[in-house]
Each structure stands twice: as structure tokens, then as C-alpha cells.
Amino acid sequence: MNIDRFVLAFAGSVVLLSVALAHFVSPWWLLLTLFVGANLLQSAFTGFCPLAMILRKVGLKPGCAFGDR
């Protein structure tokens, strides 16, 4: 698995988890969904993704979206 796929899988998992928590626990968990969506949007325009930077340092191979930074 490369960095790009891991970032997308992680973001999708966090969104699904926060929607489930909003349904079963508190609607305030939707703020986590908002945060993840905003981070994905800004990374699409800037190419800056904190998770991708961490994964690169851990040794995951880069993909084409986050690999050249």
C-alpha cells in the first residue's frame, strides 16, 4: 500500500467512524467529519498533508499525489 491509498483509506475510515459516533453518541462528532473533509479539500489544492508526511518518515512508499513533496 502506498501513501496515497493509506491517506484515503484512513480519511474514509475516520469519516465513517465519526458518522456512526454522531448517530449513536452525539451529533458533535460531525465536527470530526467536517475537519477531515476540510483537510482533504486543502490538501487537494496545496499538496500538504500532515498524515502523508508522517507516513513518509515511517517508510511507506510514496504514490503520485503526495510523493513529490
Side-chain angles (χ1 to χ4, degrees), residues 10-34:
F10 183 79
S13 299
V14 172
V15 167
L16 291 175
L17 177 65
S18 68
V19 169
L21 288 169
H23 180 74
F24 292 112
V25 179
S26 168
W28 286 102
W29 282 102
L30 290 175
L31 291 175
L32 181 58
T33 302
L34 178 68

Side-chain angles (χ1 to χ4, degrees), residues 2-69:
N2 63 28
I3 291 174
D4 300 348
R5 289 180 184 230
F6 189 91
V7 168
L8 294 174
F10 183 79
S13 299
V14 172
V15 167
L16 291 175
L17 177 65
S18 68
V19 169
L21 288 169
H23 180 74
F24 292 112
V25 179
S26 168
W28 286 102
W29 282 102
L30 290 175
L31 291 175
L32 181 58
T33 302
L34 178 68
F35 173 75
V36 171
N39 193 10
L40 285 170
L41 187 62
Q42 72 81 24
S43 70
F45 289 105
T46 64
F48 174 74
C49 179
L51 179 58
M53 293 169 50
I54 293 169
L55 294 173
R56 190 178 309 111
K57 289 183 181 181
V58 170
L60 214 60
K61 68 179 179 172
C64 56
F66 301 112
D68 58 350
R69 289 182 171 55

